[in-house]
Amino acid sequence: MSRPFDFSTDKIEDLLSIDPEEGKELVEKLIANYLTEAPKTIAAFKDSAAKDDLDNISFRAHKMKSTSGNIGLVSVSKIAAELDEATDLPLSDATRKKIKDLIEEFGHHFNLSQEVLKPYSKRNAA
Amino acid sequence: MRSHVLIVDDNESDQLNLSFILKKDGYQCSVAKDGYEAIDFLLNSKERDPVSLIILDLTMPVLSGMATLGRIKETPAISHIPVMVVSGKKDKNDVGAAIKSGAKDYLVKPVDADILKKKVSQLLTNQKSDWGEVSIPTSDLTKGFFNTPAELISINEVSLTYRSKFPLPLKETTNVFAPILEEAGINGCHTRVLDCKKGNDGYYYIQFELVGLNQQQSKDLRIFCRKVYADSKTPKSA
């Protein structure tokens, strides 16, 4: 069962408060970067999990932790952090299952995140 | 002059985020995407303003943040630049290892803009507070270099120290050595102040580092400085 989706507008509002115009441009870039990178990351997670390549999962999860956190995607960032930590566990069937579950949960939260980011993304503004 | 901050991070999202926050707070920012690029930038920045602070990620491909930190700290020309680690790693062992290896501060990602600004300001202020504040025309300082009371008191590779009756004015540090380098026939390097302390004798001891010298220039400069040092010790005949 997946945890509740959590999105905080604080990070985005902080950037907009620094400079409304340039902050908006930056937020759009950060969101575009996330929307581009996350699907590639999910595909890489799945591929790496099938090969027991935990280093690659760790590296990508670590990166996704701040990429999502920078735009206030609290639960996505948290799942990425847990995935990163799970790669430190001794490799076993239980670890594989934990990683597989977290990857699925990450994918689910990514789908949910696309909706909440719409008001801030360039694609929507256009 | 705006302080120059080098952000070393492979993650585009963090590069954009950190640069934006710091630029809007008045800093000049440059970005390196890995440790090699960062060290290359730091060692070959003659044409740019010197970097006052390095913000370093830990998890990077090619050369990790810890390896980069180690290389920075063992490279005399850049080891004095304060490093703040900004990483997604929040384990106390990671924090402890970074501080032990020479990082001045540690901030966990995703960063809070206000905390980042505060920490950067603190690090740069602390760095400057050890130097002098009184403004003296550069010409007076450089003139004084060859005359009493200023004299060379040590020569160690590319680090030079001289003592003066006056503390060093921050804004004029980089030009102090210009006439000396010119007289020694050395071009293409610049100076950085490493330290300025007041001794018990009432004099200010100012340590410089010369950045960007090649091996031959370094040798030439040492010979030149030894001569100046010897001359300054020789009593002038009436």
Side-chain angles (χ1 to χ4, degrees):
Chain A
M1 198 177 118
S2 182
R3 75 196 74 192
F5 179 74
D6 188 1
F7 170 60
S8 163
T9 57
D10 289 355
K11 291 280 178 203
I12 290 176
E13 296 301 335
D14 277 354
L15 297 174
L16 294 174
S17 72
I18 291 173
D19 184 320
E21 203 164 310
E22 289 183 36
K24 185 171 173 283
E25 275 177 38
L26 172 71
V27 168
E28 286 170 357
K29 276 187 197 169
L30 294 177
I31 291 174
N33 178 269
Y34 165 76
L35 293 174
T36 307
E37 291 303 316
K40 290 185 208 166
T41 302
I42 293 167
F45 279 158
K46 288 178 180 171
D47 184 52
S48 301
K51 296 173 186 164
D52 283 341
D53 183 356
L54 302 193
D55 285 345
N56 195 33
I57 294 174
S58 169
F59 182 76
R60 287 172 180 276
H62 184 82
K63 196 178 271 198
M64 198 42 69
K65 191 164 53 176
S66 57
T67 300
S68 54
N70 285 340
I71 47 176
L73 294 167
V74 181
S75 56
V76 176
S77 181
K78 219 173 258 183
I79 296 164
E82 286 177 26
L83 194 47
D84 186 14
E85 283 163 21
T87 60
D88 289 333
L89 298 170
L91 187 58
S92 65
D93 286 345
T95 302
R96 287 190 184 95
K97 179 164 186 330
K98 189 178 174 73
I99 288 173
K100 186 172 170 282
D101 290 347
L102 284 167
I103 292 171
E104 270 180 30
E105 194 180 7
F106 185 92
H108 176 57
H109 280 244
F110 167 68
N111 291 336
L112 296 171
S113 69
Q114 294 180 82
E115 196 59 37
V116 299
L117 293 175
K118 268 185 185 169
Y120 303 97
S121 72
K122 198 170 186 174
R123 270 181 256 178
N124 190 60
Chain B
M1 188 178 79
R2 294 182 302 159
S3 293
H4 188 181
V5 179
L6 176 64
I7 297 163
V8 190
D9 201 312
D10 64 311
N11 190 348
E12 195 188 340
S13 173
D14 290 321
Q15 292 170 0
L16 290 167
N17 197 35
L18 295 169
S19 297
F20 175 78
I21 295 167
L22 293 178
K23 276 182 186 169
K24 287 292 166 189
D25 207 32
Y27 299 102
Q28 181 189 346
C29 292
S30 297
V31 172
K33 65 178 185 307
D34 61 56
Y36 288 119
E37 198 175 298
I39 290 164
D40 187 54
F41 183 91
L42 291 164
L43 290 174
N44 297 290
S45 58
K46 277 175 268 177
E47 306 303 318
R48 299 180 284 265
D49 292 330
V51 171
S52 307
L53 175 69
I54 300 164
I55 288 184
L56 180 67
D57 182 28
L58 290 185
T59 307
M60 293 188 293
V62 192
L63 189 65
S64 74
M66 284 302 291
T68 305
L69 179 59
R71 293 208 182 182
I72 289 169
K73 291 301 161 193
E74 68 192 20
T75 306
I78 54 176
S79 62
H80 63 285
I81 306 172
V83 176
M84 178 163 79
V85 169
V86 177
S87 170
K89 288 173 178 272
K90 54 185 176 187
D91 188 283
K92 64 179 180 186
N93 293 329
D94 292 314
V95 179
I99 298 297
K100 201 175 165 189
S101 298
K104 290 275 185 195
D105 211 333
Y106 196 108
L107 193 56
V108 176
K109 290 182 194 171
V111 297
D112 177 282
D114 288 335
I115 294 174
L116 174 71
K117 288 190 280 188
K118 194 177 162 189
K119 282 188 176 261
V120 167
S121 168
Q122 275 172 351
L123 278 173
L124 291 169
T125 307
N126 289 343
Q127 187 191 15
K128 286 177 181 174
S129 65
D130 292 337
W131 300 357
E133 292 297 340
V134 180
S135 183
I136 302 164
T138 304
S139 56
D140 286 356
L141 273 169
T142 50
K143 213 186 291 169
F145 194 92
F146 291 101
N147 300 294
T148 314
E151 62 174 330
L152 263 174
I153 56 168
S154 70
I155 305 167
N156 178 24
E157 294 296 323
V158 289
S159 166
L160 303 166
T161 306
Y162 86 107
R163 68 172 196 169
S164 163
K165 272 187 176 173
F166 312 106
L168 194 75
L170 261 180
K171 289 177 186 167
E172 291 147 15
T173 56
T174 53
N175 293 322
V176 169
F177 264 89
I180 297 157
L181 298 175
E182 199 179 319
E183 195 169 336
I186 290 163
N187 300 309
C189 75
H190 64 270
T191 60
R192 285 181 185 144
V193 174
L194 295 179
D195 205 4
C196 177
K197 283 179 187 155
K198 192 172 185 180
N200 293 332
D201 54 4
Y203 283 84
Y204 288 87
Y205 286 77
I206 302 156
Q207 189 187 7
F208 288 88
E209 187 173 55
L210 299 171
V211 182
L213 290 171
N214 63 33
Q215 207 175 358
Q216 186 58 47
Q217 286 176 323
S218 176
K219 192 179 159 192
D220 290 347
L221 185 67
R222 287 205 301 275
I223 293 167
F224 178 81
C225 288
R226 279 195 194 102
K227 187 177 175 301
V228 173
Y229 181 57
D231 287 351
S232 75
K233 290 279 182 187
T234 309
K236 287 190 173 73
S237 55

